[in-house]
Amino acid sequence: AGSSVEEMEFNWDEYLEDTGATAAPHGSFKHVDTSLQNGFAPGMKLEVAVKSDQNTYWVATIITTCGQLLLLRYDGYGEDRKADFWCDILTADLHPIGWCEQNKKILKVPEGIKDKIPDQEEFLQRVLKGACSAPANLLEGLHRGKNPLDLIAPGSRLELQNIQDSLEAWIVNVVENVGGRLKLRYEGLEDSDKFDQWLFYLDPFLHQVGWAAQHGYSLQPPLAIRSLRSEADWQEILKKVKEEEEESSVPTDLFKDKPVIGVHSFSEGMKLEAVDPMAPFVICPATVLKVYNDKYFLIEMDDLRPERASSQRYVCHRNSAGIFPVQWSLKNGLHLSPPPGYPGQDFDWADYLKQCGAEAAPQSCFPSLTSDHGFKENMKLEAVNPVDPEEVCIATVTKLKDSYLWLQLEGSKKPVPECIVSVESMNIFPVGWCETNGYQLRPPRKAIVNKQKKIAVVQPEKQILSSRTVHDGLKNQELNSSDSVVINGKYCCPKIYFNHRCFSGPYLNKGRIAELPQSVGPGNCVLVLKEVLTLLINAAYKPSRVLRELQLDEEAAWHGHGETLKAKYKGKSYRATVEVVRTADRVADFCRKTCIKLECCPNLFGPQMVLDKCSENCSVLTKTKYTHYYGKRKNKRIGRPPGGHSNLEVAMKKPNKRRKRRKHFFVHKKKRSSTSVDNTPAGSPQGSGAEEEDDQDESELSHSLAQDRDKRKRKLRTFSFSDDENKPPSPKDIKMEVAEKLQLDSNPLEWSVADVVRFLKSTDCAPLARIFLDQEIDGQALLLLTLPTVQECMDLKLGPAIKLCHHIERVKLAFYQQFAN
């Protein structure tokens, strides 16, 4: 690549990096979340073929959903996650509850839980009492495996209430469906797009065919198009629609998540402040012109000009966005535009109400506003251009007031002033929504990036790809195995929940964790997990330390995708390559392992929401001892310590000794690609004195380790031990001396589980070797064991635990004397 600067295709990742901005959290776009739900929900039950015996079935519960994939657990496993498995709705043998009985199929307990269920009939009666079955229509027939949203296909018909008169509605045809955003054309105008509208399918004014008749509304074409055809033509069109109703109908349960319209208390003549939906850039005085019923009323934007030919009117309901009580603008420091024809520029509500002989709508008429939505100034998102609804543009939040955002649109064909939208608007979308749904996002003007700066770093036989490359690759792959889990190019990662009540561990700040959004996603696996990890890094006491714990271990097997993450701490910038998984079936395991790596509760974040009580019983834990917490886990495994090599590199340093600056933290041990021109070491602070802070952290930790070790040594000196009585043959790499002191031929940090077992068998603690083998304790884990850990994790009494720790201390002492330099 040359050094020339050239215009490239727009890329959100690069744009956010270049502008230093952040993306609005996915969880703030509730309508998008709803659109991704496939009709299945955690907790639903179904009958599933048993893998080991395809002729038998058993009841399973849905743990989480991901497009056309379901994560299931056979009933009887309780809280045990080990037997969870993914199923593709399109190919798996799945059925609603009761199907086996109807079709004379065998329900039989799987082998793995046979001993837990002595009475099958009694068990089924108990677990199925009051249970919710997965919907039969989503498991069988034409709708099987389809996202309900995809059933709104071009040609489908809906009914749209008239924005000028809510007591009327007319049929509209779906021309296009972009992720739930529908391009609609009035029935009878098949050859004209002049009156087309774009609405999200959850819009309160959009309904299934037949809605008007059910609720006593009339089916009439809007006044704007009524004169285009004769009355006889319109009646003929209605007749045709009724005949074809079954073919073009949309499932009624698709609209079950629509916002409920409450009862309003407005009266005719009341004054209020309102945003004109046809030009949502200003707030103006408005009047309740007409009340239709207890749900709908008509608002007119005030206009005092005597020559006005028409005025802006639109139907509202209690929860309509953009209507405010009198004086709302003044209280929030916003400009209220006087009505056209108002004398002077200094508008005063008291004078105006007196002049009009009107009353202000009371505060009780309006919905309560909230600031708890996740949006912040300078965040980026994607938004519909109100002047040209065909356009979806990059938008920046420039201002926030209660439940409203001021957005500056970039890249629109014609410049647009800052527009005012509700945080619950269905015309705003998260970063990447257009790309995911195959719709053109208007890029910013002169979107220029330096191609040379963005060259990927090539690992040995591995390539770190850009998020865009991964996303495109995922979109085009087919769902043909458990490893390929992208569904028709749409979102693939389930929603990741932050379970704020769970134990946050020593690295993460509990207060900052509490400020995180409730969830992130769903979305592309790489992008969602990258956002989750970025949020965790920013919620740390020392973001640089968490980044170090998460960094990719180059010696480990490559299972996912390398992403560069950044951290800022005390004015310095750090970056490191972190491995994230690419497919939904690995997300749960990835989240759990990352939690353990960060020494927090394994449920702190992941695709499962912790409602009342955490299954890990983490509420009893403190930040002082992770080993105490780990010992409380059900299976009481020790294994390799969380944090991997990073923590142990610290342990290798001698305490109380000034060390040279370590240049390899956050830096790949292999050489970087010679084509890269970004010469800052990966993960180094971008400035002088880069690693001073981390060195300080490590010195503190080394000192702490040394004090802990010395304390244990003093305590253990009160006991007498002898290896001479039970001295068996030494393992191949250990030379035993007559004295207590060990002479090691190899570094314990490099010992495998087998080496650890071999060492134990050479001591009088040989009977305990089996525990170390079962719990896969290698050399690194061995060096971190302490007396409390051994007692709690291995269920040992004090005497045997002290004897074992004596041998561990001898290994530690030999390690510090021989290899810590």
Side-chain angles (χ1 to χ4, degrees), residues 472-479 483-486 488 582-583:
D472 290 344
L474 290 174
K475 277 176 62 175
N476 295 326
Q477 72 180 19
E478 294 180 1
L479 184 60
D483 290 330
S484 303
V485 294
V486 178
N488 301 327
R582 296 173 49 165
T583 55

mmCIF file of all heavy atoms in Angstrom, residues 472-479 483-486 488 582-583:
data_model
loop_
_atom_site.group_PDB
_atom_site.id
_atom_site.type_symbol
_atom_site.label_atom_id
_atom_site.label_comp_id
_atom_site.label_asym_id
_atom_site.label_seq_id
_atom_site.Cartn_x
_atom_site.Cartn_y
_atom_site.Cartn_z
ATOM 1 N N ASP A 472 -18.803 -8.941 6.538
ATOM 2 C CA ASP A 472 -19.169 -9.357 5.187
ATOM 3 C C ASP A 472 -19.037 -10.858 5.019
ATOM 4 O O ASP A 472 -19.854 -11.510 4.389
ATOM 5 C CB ASP A 472 -18.289 -8.642 4.158
ATOM 6 C CG ASP A 472 -18.629 -7.150 4.074
ATOM 7 O OD1 ASP A 472 -19.710 -6.786 4.578
ATOM 8 O OD2 ASP A 472 -17.823 -6.382 3.533
ATOM 9 N N GLY A 473 -17.960 -11.418 5.612
ATOM 10 C CA GLY A 473 -17.782 -12.863 5.497
ATOM 11 C C GLY A 473 -18.896 -13.620 6.177
ATOM 12 O O GLY A 473 -19.407 -14.611 5.675
ATOM 13 N N LEU A 474 -19.293 -13.127 7.349
ATOM 14 C CA LEU A 474 -20.375 -13.780 8.077
ATOM 15 C C LEU A 474 -21.683 -13.676 7.319
ATOM 16 O O LEU A 474 -22.488 -14.599 7.291
ATOM 17 C CB LEU A 474 -20.533 -13.143 9.453
ATOM 18 C CG LEU A 474 -19.408 -13.415 10.455
ATOM 19 C CD1 LEU A 474 -19.644 -12.610 11.713
ATOM 20 C CD2 LEU A 474 -19.315 -14.878 10.789
ATOM 21 N N LYS A 475 -21.919 -12.527 6.683
ATOM 22 C CA LYS A 475 -23.189 -12.327 5.990
ATOM 23 C C LYS A 475 -23.358 -13.316 4.838
ATOM 24 O O LYS A 475 -24.461 -13.739 4.519
ATOM 25 C CB LYS A 475 -23.258 -10.901 5.423
ATOM 26 C CG LYS A 475 -23.715 -9.868 6.433
ATOM 27 C CD LYS A 475 -23.672 -8.475 5.876
ATOM 28 C CE LYS A 475 -24.588 -8.316 4.694
ATOM 29 N NZ LYS A 475 -24.663 -6.934 4.204
ATOM 30 N N ASN A 476 -22.234 -13.673 4.227
ATOM 31 C CA ASN A 476 -22.334 -14.497 3.028
ATOM 32 C C ASN A 476 -22.216 -15.990 3.284
ATOM 33 O O ASN A 476 -22.401 -16.800 2.385
ATOM 34 C CB ASN A 476 -21.231 -14.075 2.040
ATOM 35 C CG ASN A 476 -21.447 -12.655 1.566
ATOM 36 O OD1 ASN A 476 -22.586 -12.234 1.414
ATOM 37 N ND2 ASN A 476 -20.368 -11.915 1.338
ATOM 38 N N GLN A 477 -21.888 -16.393 4.520
ATOM 39 C CA GLN A 477 -21.732 -17.817 4.748
ATOM 40 C C GLN A 477 -23.087 -18.477 4.960
ATOM 41 O O GLN A 477 -24.067 -17.835 5.254
ATOM 42 C CB GLN A 477 -20.812 -18.057 5.942
ATOM 43 C CG GLN A 477 -21.427 -17.730 7.284
ATOM 44 C CD GLN A 477 -20.434 -17.997 8.396
ATOM 45 O OE1 GLN A 477 -19.247 -18.073 8.169
ATOM 46 N NE2 GLN A 477 -20.935 -18.150 9.591
ATOM 47 N N GLU A 478 -23.147 -19.773 4.777
ATOM 48 C CA GLU A 478 -24.397 -20.503 4.919
ATOM 49 C C GLU A 478 -24.460 -21.178 6.282
ATOM 50 O O GLU A 478 -23.454 -21.519 6.878
ATOM 51 C CB GLU A 478 -24.505 -21.579 3.825
ATOM 52 C CG GLU A 478 -24.611 -20.982 2.426
ATOM 53 C CD GLU A 478 -24.715 -22.074 1.385
ATOM 54 O OE1 GLU A 478 -24.720 -23.251 1.757
ATOM 55 O OE2 GLU A 478 -24.780 -21.740 0.201
ATOM 56 N N LEU A 479 -25.657 -21.357 6.761
ATOM 57 C CA LEU A 479 -25.872 -21.996 8.059
ATOM 58 C C LEU A 479 -25.939 -23.501 7.848
ATOM 59 O O LEU A 479 -26.974 -24.058 7.570
ATOM 60 C CB LEU A 479 -27.168 -21.481 8.679
ATOM 61 C CG LEU A 479 -27.497 -21.980 10.060
ATOM 62 C CD1 LEU A 479 -26.411 -21.588 11.035
ATOM 63 C CD2 LEU A 479 -28.826 -21.416 10.521
ATOM 64 N N ASP A 483 -20.988 -24.506 13.725
ATOM 65 C CA ASP A 483 -20.028 -23.410 13.720
ATOM 66 C C ASP A 483 -20.498 -22.230 12.896
ATOM 67 O O ASP A 483 -19.997 -21.133 13.036
ATOM 68 C CB ASP A 483 -18.678 -23.898 13.166
ATOM 69 C CG ASP A 483 -18.010 -24.848 14.125
ATOM 70 O OD1 ASP A 483 -18.232 -24.712 15.331
ATOM 71 O OD2 ASP A 483 -17.279 -25.720 13.653
ATOM 72 N N SER A 484 -21.427 -22.442 11.983
ATOM 73 C CA SER A 484 -21.900 -21.371 11.120
ATOM 74 C C SER A 484 -23.277 -20.963 11.585
ATOM 75 O O SER A 484 -24.237 -21.668 11.334
ATOM 76 C CB SER A 484 -21.960 -21.847 9.669
ATOM 77 O OG SER A 484 -20.697 -22.297 9.253
ATOM 78 N N VAL A 485 -23.344 -19.837 12.262
ATOM 79 C CA VAL A 485 -24.601 -19.518 12.916
ATOM 80 C C VAL A 485 -25.154 -18.161 12.514
ATOM 81 O O VAL A 485 -25.931 -17.574 13.227
ATOM 82 C CB VAL A 485 -24.429 -19.555 14.442
ATOM 83 C CG1 VAL A 485 -24.132 -20.934 14.909
ATOM 84 C CG2 VAL A 485 -23.345 -18.597 14.890
ATOM 85 N N VAL A 486 -24.741 -17.635 11.361
ATOM 86 C CA VAL A 486 -25.283 -16.361 10.931
ATOM 87 C C VAL A 486 -26.557 -16.608 10.157
ATOM 88 O O VAL A 486 -26.629 -17.481 9.317
ATOM 89 C CB VAL A 486 -24.257 -15.624 10.066
ATOM 90 C CG1 VAL A 486 -24.836 -14.332 9.571
ATOM 91 C CG2 VAL A 486 -23.034 -15.346 10.901
ATOM 92 N N ASN A 488 -29.129 -15.536 7.549
ATOM 93 C CA ASN A 488 -29.521 -14.715 6.412
ATOM 94 C C ASN A 488 -28.907 -13.325 6.460
ATOM 95 O O ASN A 488 -29.528 -12.336 6.115
ATOM 96 C CB ASN A 488 -31.052 -14.579 6.359
ATOM 97 C CG ASN A 488 -31.707 -15.934 6.251
ATOM 98 O OD1 ASN A 488 -31.157 -16.835 5.644
ATOM 99 N ND2 ASN A 488 -32.885 -16.081 6.823
ATOM 100 N N ARG A 582 -16.664 -15.577 16.968
ATOM 101 C CA ARG A 582 -17.383 -15.080 15.798
ATOM 102 C C ARG A 582 -18.771 -15.676 15.671
ATOM 103 O O ARG A 582 -19.553 -15.212 14.858
ATOM 104 C CB ARG A 582 -16.585 -15.428 14.530
ATOM 105 C CG ARG A 582 -15.251 -14.754 14.456
ATOM 106 C CD ARG A 582 -14.409 -15.250 13.293
ATOM 107 N NE ARG A 582 -15.124 -15.268 12.036
ATOM 108 C CZ ARG A 582 -14.527 -15.378 10.848
ATOM 109 N NH1 ARG A 582 -13.227 -15.475 10.796
ATOM 110 N NH2 ARG A 582 -15.232 -15.400 9.754
ATOM 111 N N THR A 583 -19.072 -16.707 16.436
ATOM 112 C CA THR A 583 -20.346 -17.397 16.223
ATOM 113 C C THR A 583 -21.140 -17.496 17.525
ATOM 114 O O THR A 583 -20.584 -17.572 18.617
ATOM 115 C CB THR A 583 -20.096 -18.820 15.676
ATOM 116 O OG1 THR A 583 -19.213 -19.512 16.554
ATOM 117 C CG2 THR A 583 -19.501 -18.760 14.281
#
